[in-house]
Amino acid sequence: MDSKRLIIFIVLSMSILLLWQEYFAPKPTPQQLAKSQTTAGAPAAPGAGASAAQPADASKLTSGQRITVNTDLFKAEIDTVGGDLRRLDLLKHNAAEDASKPFELFTDKGGRVYVAQTGLVATANPALPTHKTVFTAEKTSYQLNGDKLEVKLTAPEANGVKVSKVYTFKKGAYDIDVRYDITNGGSAPLGATAYFRLLRDGEAPEGENFMAHTFTGPAVYTAEGKFQKVTFDDLAKGKGDYAKSANDGWVSMLQHYFMSAWIVKPLNGQSICAAGTPCRFELKESNGLYSAATLVDLPAIAPGASRSITVPLYAGPEEYNVITKVADGMEYAKDYGWVHIFASPLFWLLTKLHALVNNWGWAIVLLTLIVKAVFYPLTAASYRSMGKMKALAPRLERLKEQYGDDRMKMQQAVMEMYKSEKVNPLGGCLPMLIQIPVFIGLYWSLLASVELRQADWILWIDDLARPDPFYVLPAIMAITMFLQTFLNPPPADPMQAKMMKIMPVAFSAMFFFFPAGLVLYWVVNNVLSIAQQWYINKQIEKAKKLALQS
């Protein structure tokens, strides 16, 4: 029986290791260019017979004059080259490494590239402005004072065509409208394609570490294709399955807590796609940079006529109450992977509890209590089985002494003992295995919640998304895991028993690097488990005493 228990222990340990490696451990990123910045070419004109994104230039992103924009939510920098949005600081969110600074979402500094680019292309007029065109601006500095702020850039007139690019920032909103105003002063109709893309390197975002790792990369959502993400590694290999065209949805770059996305169809709004011509989506890699773009074919503009196209750009946190008001399906940006069916309702419940107590820390405590209560029958059955196994430990030792090295007779005697006492040695494992997907779902719902960022709980815990600064919660976690080993039935094998004593300490060491919100959940869960198992063990002892007295 000892060998069987050892096999079960090894199988469960390997399962946990594989689950961790598959769903929690960080995935390697593709080889990046050594601190170089390159830029992909403009999309090909309609009918040109080329892919929409040509190979990247070997040069760095060209920079011109910078235009600064300050709003209640952003500190932005727009470059006159291409009218690119090159830098975007989120003023309501602090940096992961230096809490005194705002979080930098877009950047082209320090060897990093993450920018928003747009442009126009047409075979009949190759001089239309792209992300390489030098625009002129009316001012170099803008400050939002009212509800809206427009930043206008003008491209050089070419072949009688006038083009302006206008950014509209709105008070209290993370979505930025990007508009092209096109006037055809030429003598022939003008057909053009507008492209709107996000360009970034494959480096891990600031604050990402091997203990708190989520998906970083491009994703596409459409009503028909639903949510589809593609890894940087797949793009580098020219692979990736996603919707190539639609009249709705969005294309994005995702990372832990934050996202950017070009919105094809805003919530309760009109699609940006021309009637009868769906927008195209394109995800590509070139020279170590990755682009996520939507391309819009514009109806022909007659000579002397004008046309405008506006595409919203969302750039901000993945807050559920914010992104769900921007476009359909944006709640999927809070990517929970294969446990979405469990994580999504758990997060919904967490938000309801937060609305009740107005504190994310106490909401986590209440959520843990509720989950524990729901699974009480299963955990009680598991603990009763383990309690009976623990009560049989002295008899098991006597059997070992009685049969010595005769393992066949020893196993037969142990099985007879289990049969007579009506104990299932796997009874403590099976109820726990049923709960694992829910617990993993709860893990992901907490890990992906930007709502916990900068959210305080009590005393020294002032940011549930950062590790406990004094390691108090991880220390309590280690103590509770160690205490649980005394409540579980001791393994028959001495070496296995030692491993069971060491594993909780080794496992709890990881929690020193985990966000405090996650550790808080595990601490509360462990304390409740200890209380429940102690209570059930006492019940078993009481029933045994009554049986002996009768």
Side-chain angles (χ1 to χ4, degrees):
M1 188 60 203
D2 288 349
S3 61
K4 289 186 177 180
R5 292 184 66 183
L6 181 59
I7 292 171
I8 292 169
F9 171 77
I10 292 172
V11 170
L12 289 176
S13 298
M14 290 300 296
S15 299
I16 293 171
L17 179 62
L18 291 173
L19 282 171
W20 176 269
Q21 193 67 27
E22 178 66 21
Y23 298 108
F24 300 108
K27 306 296 188 296
T29 59
Q31 180 66 34
Q32 305 302 311
L33 293 180
K35 297 299 180 182
S36 65
Q37 301 175 351
T38 59
T39 181
S51 171
Q54 299 169 351
D57 296 333
S59 60
K60 296 180 179 180
L61 287 176
T62 305
S63 294
Q65 187 179 24
R66 289 296 171 99
I67 303 159
T68 60
V69 182
N70 291 281
T71 75
D72 57 327
L73 299 179
F74 299 127
K75 180 179 180 181
E77 289 185 7
I78 300 171
D79 202 293
T80 52
V81 175
D84 294 354
L85 186 54
R86 296 281 183 92
R87 179 169 179 171
L88 195 67
D89 292 350
L90 306 183
L91 302 180
K92 301 296 183 182
H93 294 267
N94 57 36
E97 297 177 359
D98 186 351
S100 65
K101 297 179 179 179
F103 185 83
E104 190 177 71
L105 184 62
F106 290 168
T107 184
D108 64 346
K109 305 295 184 183
R112 299 299 308 273
V113 175
Y114 187 5
V115 299
Q117 294 183 327
T118 67
L120 299 169
V121 288
T123 51
N125 191 342
L128 286 177
T130 68
H131 62 280
K132 297 182 179 181
T133 301
V134 179
F135 287 75
T136 57
E138 297 173 345
K139 296 192 299 182
T140 59
S141 180
Y142 290 82
Q143 176 69 50
L144 174 66
N145 294 316
D147 292 332
K148 289 186 179 182
L149 171 65
E150 286 197 348
V151 179
K152 183 178 180 180
L153 299 98
T154 303
E157 183 176 338
N159 300 327
V161 178
K162 298 179 180 179
V163 178
S164 294
K165 182 177 180 179
V166 183
Y167 286 90
T168 301
F169 296 85
K170 293 163 282 188
K171 184 177 180 180
Y174 284 103
D175 52 303
I176 306 165
D177 289 339
V178 181
R179 185 178 81 243
Y180 274 107
D181 295 329
I182 309 166
T183 299
N184 183 10
S187 58
L190 175 65
T193 295
Y195 63 91
F196 301 83
R197 75 175 177 184
L198 300 158
L199 184 71
R200 67 161 294 161
D201 55 43
E203 298 289 337
E206 178 192 355
E208 194 87 334
N209 60 60
F210 67 101
M211 287 299 179
H213 177 85
T214 62
F215 174 77
T216 298
V220 172
Y221 175 86
T222 64
E224 182 177 353
K226 300 304 179 184
F227 180 70
Q228 298 166 300
K229 59 184 181 181
V230 180
T231 65
F232 288 145
D233 192 45
D234 279 347
L235 284 187
K237 296 175 182 176
K239 299 190 301 183
D241 184 23
Y242 62 93
K244 302 300 191 295
S245 63
N247 289 308
D248 54 28
W250 40 271
V251 60
S252 66
M253 283 288 183
L254 307 179
Q255 65 184 61
H256 197 188
Y257 295 137
F258 301 98
M259 68 177 294
S260 58
W262 291 108
I263 311 300
V264 171
K265 185 180 183 297
L267 191 67
N268 302 322
Q270 298 296 318
S271 171
I272 65 171
C273 311
T277 307
C279 297
R280 286 168 283 155
F281 298 114
E282 186 176 79
L283 309 180
K284 289 189 73 70
E285 180 274 340
S286 186
N287 289 351
L289 292 182
Y290 304 84
S291 65
T294 183
L295 297 94
V296 187
D297 294 329
L298 304 179
I301 306 173
S306 298
R307 181 175 295 278
S308 295
I309 177 174
T310 302
V311 180
L313 168 66
Y314 181 86
E318 296 167 352
E319 292 182 22
Y320 181 85
N321 291 334
V322 175
I323 59 179
T324 52
K325 296 175 183 177
V326 176
D328 287 330
M330 283 194 76
E331 64 272 15
Y332 290 103
K334 298 172 76 73
D335 181 36
Y336 302 131
W338 67 278
V339 291
H340 186 275
I341 190 173
F342 303 107
S344 185
L346 286 170
F347 177 76
W348 174 86
L349 179 56
L350 182 66
T351 60
K352 297 302 179 183
L353 293 171
H354 175 261
L356 182 65
V357 298
N358 199 32
N359 182 290
W360 287 106
W362 291 119
I364 291 172
V365 173
L366 290 176
L367 180 63
T368 311
L369 285 167
I370 292 173
V371 172
K372 202 68 178 173
V374 170
F375 282 107
Y376 180 82
L378 282 175
T379 52
S382 176
Y383 292 151
R384 274 193 287 270
S385 178
M386 287 190 288
K388 291 178 180 178
M389 290 284 291
K390 184 178 177 65
L392 293 176
R395 291 177 59 182
L396 187 62
E397 288 297 322
R398 288 196 295 271
L399 289 175
K400 288 178 63 177
E401 294 174 1
Q402 179 180 349
Y403 292 103
D405 295 332
D406 193 338
R407 303 192 66 83
M408 181 65 71
K409 290 185 177 180
M410 168 69 179
Q411 290 181 9
Q412 291 175 350
V414 169
M415 294 305 296
E416 284 297 325
M417 180 183 68
Y418 286 155
K419 185 177 180 180
S420 63
E421 296 294 335
K422 299 180 180 179
V423 172
N424 181 358
L426 294 180
C429 299
L430 296 178
M432 290 305 217
L433 290 175
I434 296 173
Q435 301 175 58
I436 285 177
V438 176
F439 289 137
I440 296 178
L442 185 53
Y443 169 92
W444 276 107
S445 66
L446 295 177
L447 181 64
S449 296
V450 68
E451 289 81 356
L452 302 185
R453 211 171 184 269
Q454 300 171 217
D456 60 353
W457 178 39
I458 56 173
L459 301 176
W460 70 98
I461 305 294
D462 57 3
D463 191 338
L464 289 166
R466 295 179 184 271
D468 183 336
F470 301 112
Y471 305 109
V472 175
L473 285 176
I476 297 173
M477 175 72 187
I479 293 170
T480 58
M481 292 190 72
F482 187 71
L483 289 176
Q484 281 184 303
T485 63
F486 292 97
L487 297 173
N488 295 331
D493 181 62
M495 181 59 68
Q496 189 179 344
K498 289 180 181 179
M499 291 178 64
M500 294 299 288
K501 295 289 185 184
I502 295 172
M503 277 190 64
V505 178
F507 186 70
S508 62
M510 296 187 300
F511 284 83
F512 281 78
F513 305 95
F514 273 22
L518 280 172
V519 184
L520 174 61
Y521 154 68
W522 280 107
V523 167
V524 175
N525 182 72
N526 276 10
V527 170
L528 293 174
S529 297
I530 289 172
Q532 185 178 355
Q533 193 167 356
W534 177 85
Y535 173 73
I536 291 172
N537 286 350
K538 288 296 182 182
Q539 282 187 319
I540 293 172
E541 291 176 7
K542 184 178 179 180
K544 186 177 179 180
K545 289 179 181 179
L546 291 174
L548 292 173
Q549 292 173 0
S550 60

